[in-house]
Amino acid sequence: MRNLVIGLGNPGPRYVFTRHNVGFLALDKYAENKKNISNIKKISGRNFEGFALESNIFVKPLTYMNASGEVLPYVFKKFGKIEESLLIIYDDIWLNLGEIRIRKSGSDGGHNGLKSIIGILKSTDFPRIRIGINNGYEHGSGNLANYVLNPFTQEEWTILDKVLDYVTIAIDLILEGRINEAMNKFNGKII
């Protein structure tokens, strides 16, 4: 069975290390951790880039966060319709930095990138990994867009790097059909 893993973020150098880009950063970390595997290959298509490993496709939409779902028709055209084995990875402002939440399905929770994907699929029935990015932001305390589009500090990056190693393990478990094990092992874990 082929799996499609989509990490959400924004393209371009201005956004690379921002909080809103942890979906992209998670895929980068996954590829880095698998770099000694000889059959990993880069892929690209209209509005996306990423890599393929074995039967799994890892995609970064290049449509900007709020239009993340618009990449799905292009991915399905190139690789076949594989949404039944879809995994989405994205940031969650309401989880603290160091926390991970894995769910089998659910609403968009106010995340515009996920809302776009749900709008295209007309379904919320797919697993997702939410990565906490909140390190002191309080609801209503300032401009949320500015907060999520700012880069991680060096101290935050040290925490995030450890989190992304856990996310790599969680991805493998989910792709192996062991999502319950991934949820039991990582949900709520604070680093």
Side-chain angles (χ1 to χ4, degrees):
M1 173 191 283
R2 286 191 307 160
N3 297 290
L4 172 60
V5 180
I6 300 178
L8 301 187
N10 287 306
R14 183 223 181 288
Y15 300 105
V16 173
F17 297 108
T18 63
R19 292 176 178 87
H20 219 22
N21 263 36
V22 295
F24 281 13
L25 294 170
L27 294 191
D28 292 344
K29 185 68 165 187
Y30 188 89
E32 178 186 319
N33 288 346
K34 306 290 183 180
K35 66 184 172 199
N36 293 330
I37 298 175
S38 61
N39 59 345
I40 192 169
K41 66 177 188 169
K42 288 187 176 192
I43 60 168
S44 63
R46 184 169 175 187
N47 293 328
F48 71 89
E49 65 183 25
F51 58 95
L53 178 59
E54 297 162 355
S55 59
N56 303 311
I57 309 298
F58 297 81
V59 167
K60 294 179 185 178
L62 301 179
T63 52
Y64 289 93
M65 181 65 80
N66 293 352
S68 296
E70 293 177 12
V71 76
L72 289 172
Y74 302 112
V75 173
F76 294 157
K77 183 175 182 181
K78 185 163 186 165
F79 298 106
K81 199 165 184 184
I82 50 179
E83 80 229 32
E84 64 277 357
S85 51
L86 176 66
L87 171 62
I88 308 294
I89 305 169
Y90 60 100
D91 63 287
D92 191 325
I93 185 63
W94 308 120
L95 290 178
N96 291 321
L97 181 67
E99 288 183 281
I100 302 167
R101 286 279 194 295
I102 301 167
R103 296 283 184 263
K104 293 180 182 179
S105 63
S107 72
D108 61 52
H111 192 284
N112 288 332
L114 194 60
K115 186 181 295 185
S116 175
I117 288 172
I118 290 169
I120 295 293
L121 294 177
K122 307 289 189 250
S123 173
T124 60
D125 192 25
F126 52 84
R128 68 277 318 263
I129 300 174
R130 296 166 23 215
I131 302 171
I133 61 166
N134 193 334
N135 191 25
Y137 179 83
E138 293 182 27
H139 184 63
S141 67
N143 187 317
L144 179 59
N146 284 345
Y147 184 81
V148 300
L149 294 176
N150 276 320
F152 288 101
T153 66
Q154 187 59 48
E155 181 181 316
E156 291 170 332
W157 183 254
T158 301
I159 296 168
L160 182 65
D161 194 47
K162 292 174 187 171
V163 168
L164 294 179
D165 281 330
Y166 289 128
V167 169
T168 293
I169 297 166
I171 291 169
D172 282 337
L173 289 171
I174 294 167
L175 296 182
E176 293 166 7
R178 298 160 58 192
I179 190 168
N180 289 334
E181 184 178 339
M183 289 190 297
N184 290 334
K185 190 169 191 169
F186 296 113
N187 276 354
K189 185 166 188 87
I190 299 177
I191 298 183

